């Protein structure tokens, strides 16, 4: 289940991609399939080991084209172990809401992104997320949990302050919002509640089968209750007169 829409976020074979806070690796895997040179980074060593196993399995199965590479590594989003201007593309999906120093993370992403490079940022959308926080303290008051709810203008403003130029936004995963509302209402750790189990089956069916009816429903509902807010931006090239002035 991808949150980034690669029809709006073009990726070319050979692009060097950083999936920052990759988690289980869903976006890193897609970039690998598209022929990129992928680095999947996360602070969770257990998840990184699983991502590395999947990269190896994909290579063995021939799922990645010739020239594509994939590396999984542990790392700190606030202190990335890469030189300046190392990547053509950076993706950070459902991560920034967990990190106290979100401006520091944005600064590091901009540092390692090449001029002209592209970045995709996804966070929980304000409205659906606010419902979750209202229904359940346990949803967010956990170690490593969500510490803030972004409004769209706030996130875009921070991206601009970091030196990025946003060029597009959208919402995603509308069908997942009711699932999390049910989870929060019946208890975030209570997977046995009938409404939660029934809705989970619906989501699994939708992910596996991709039926037209749910695709159309989600497309229609995304602008209203999409669970995620997605923003795309570029890192502008340094103006020629700035380069001259710097000499």
């Amino acid at each position: 289940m991808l949150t980034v829409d690669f029809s709006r976020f073009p990726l070319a074979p050979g692009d060097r991609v950083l999936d920052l806070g990759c988690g289980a690796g869903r976006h890193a895997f897609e970039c690998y399939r598209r022929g990129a040179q992928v680095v999947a980074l996360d602070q969770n060593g257990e998840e990184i080991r699983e991502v590395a196993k999947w990269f190896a399995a994909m290579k063995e199965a021939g799922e990645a084209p010739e020239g594509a590479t994939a590396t999984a590594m542990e790392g700190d989003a606030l202190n990335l172990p890469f030189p300046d201007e190392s990547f053509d593309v950076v993706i950070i999906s459902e991560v920034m809401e967990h990190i106290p120093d979100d401006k520091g993370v944005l600064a590091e992403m901009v540092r390692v992104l090449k001029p002209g490079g592209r970045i995709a940022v996804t966070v929980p959308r304000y409205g659906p997320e606010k419902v979750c926080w209202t229904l359940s303290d346990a949803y967010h008051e956990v170690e490593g949990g969500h510490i803030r709810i972004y409004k769209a203008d706030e996130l875009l403003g921070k991206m601009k302050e970091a030196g990025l130029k946003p060029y597009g936004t959208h919402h995603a995963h509308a069908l997942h919002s009711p699932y999390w509302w049910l989870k929060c209402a019946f208890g975030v750790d209570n997977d046995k509640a009938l409404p939660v189990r029934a809705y989970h089956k619906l989501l699994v069916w939708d992910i596996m089968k991709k039926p037209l009816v749910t695709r159309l429903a989600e497309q229609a509902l995304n602008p209203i209750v999409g669970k995620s807010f997605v923003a795309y931006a570029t890192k502008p090239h340094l103006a020629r007169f700035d380069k001259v002035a710097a000499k």
Side-chain angles (χ1 to χ4, degrees):
M1 184 186 72
L2 299 175
T3 307
V4 172
D5 181 351
F6 285 94
S7 69
R8 311 183 196 211
F9 189 66
L11 189 68
D15 275 352
R16 186 162 166 78
V17 178
L18 173 63
D19 185 2
L20 182 56
C22 65
R26 57 200 172 107
H27 289 106
F29 300 149
E30 180 64 19
C31 293
Y32 189 32
R33 290 188 187 98
R34 290 171 177 261
Q37 298 175 6
V38 184
V39 176
L41 184 145
D42 201 285
Q43 66 177 1
N44 187 318
E46 184 175 343
E47 285 196 310
I48 282 297
R49 286 187 287 274
E50 283 299 310
V51 170
K53 290 178 183 178
W54 278 105
F55 278 151
M58 290 172 68
K59 182 178 181 180
E60 181 70 19
E63 290 189 35
E66 185 177 352
T69 62
T71 303
M73 61 185 294
E74 289 185 60
D76 180 359
L78 289 165
N79 186 24
L80 296 173
F82 310 113
D84 295 355
E85 302 179 4
S86 299
F87 294 93
D88 302 289
V89 173
V90 177
I91 296 171
I92 184 166
S93 183
E94 311 299 304
V95 173
M96 287 181 58
E97 67 276 9
H98 296 273
I99 300 177
D101 186 7
D102 57 347
K103 290 186 178 181
V105 172
L106 278 168
E108 271 292 88
M109 289 190 291
V110 171
R111 180 184 69 80
V112 302
L113 186 64
K114 296 177 182 178
R118 303 171 305 285
I119 186 167
V121 180
T122 92
V123 297
R125 184 183 186 176
Y126 183 85
E129 183 77 349
K130 189 69 174 179
V131 173
C132 290
W133 282 47
T134 300
L135 290 172
S136 172
D137 290 336
Y139 171 79
H140 63 97
E141 291 182 356
V142 295
E143 184 177 356
H146 299 184
I147 62 171
R148 71 175 66 81
I149 309 176
Y150 287 101
K151 291 185 177 179
D153 289 345
E154 176 192 2
L155 177 61
L156 292 172
K158 289 184 176 183
M159 292 171 69
K160 292 175 183 176
E161 288 175 10
L164 295 167
K165 185 178 180 180
Y167 69 83
T169 65
H170 64 90
H171 300 98
H173 309 319
L175 295 182
H176 288 251
S177 290
Y179 173 71
W180 283 102
W181 298 339
L182 289 169
K183 289 270 287 182
C184 290
F186 286 93
V188 291
D189 295 320
N190 180 12
D191 294 326
K192 295 182 179 180
L194 180 59
V196 175
R197 287 191 290 118
Y199 203 96
H200 183 262
K201 287 182 179 179
L202 170 66
L203 292 180
V204 171
W205 174 71
D206 173 57
I207 292 170
M208 298 301 294
K209 301 296 185 180
K210 297 180 175 62
L212 180 61
V213 62
T214 54
R215 295 300 87 218
L216 292 175
E218 185 156 79
Q219 184 177 354
L221 291 170
N222 273 336
I224 305 168
V225 292
K227 184 73 170 64
S228 294
F229 174 71
V230 188
Y232 306 111
T234 59
K235 178 180 176 178
H237 289 276
L238 188 65
R240 179 172 294 181
F241 67 87
D242 288 338
K243 291 182 180 179
V244 173
K247 290 182 179 179

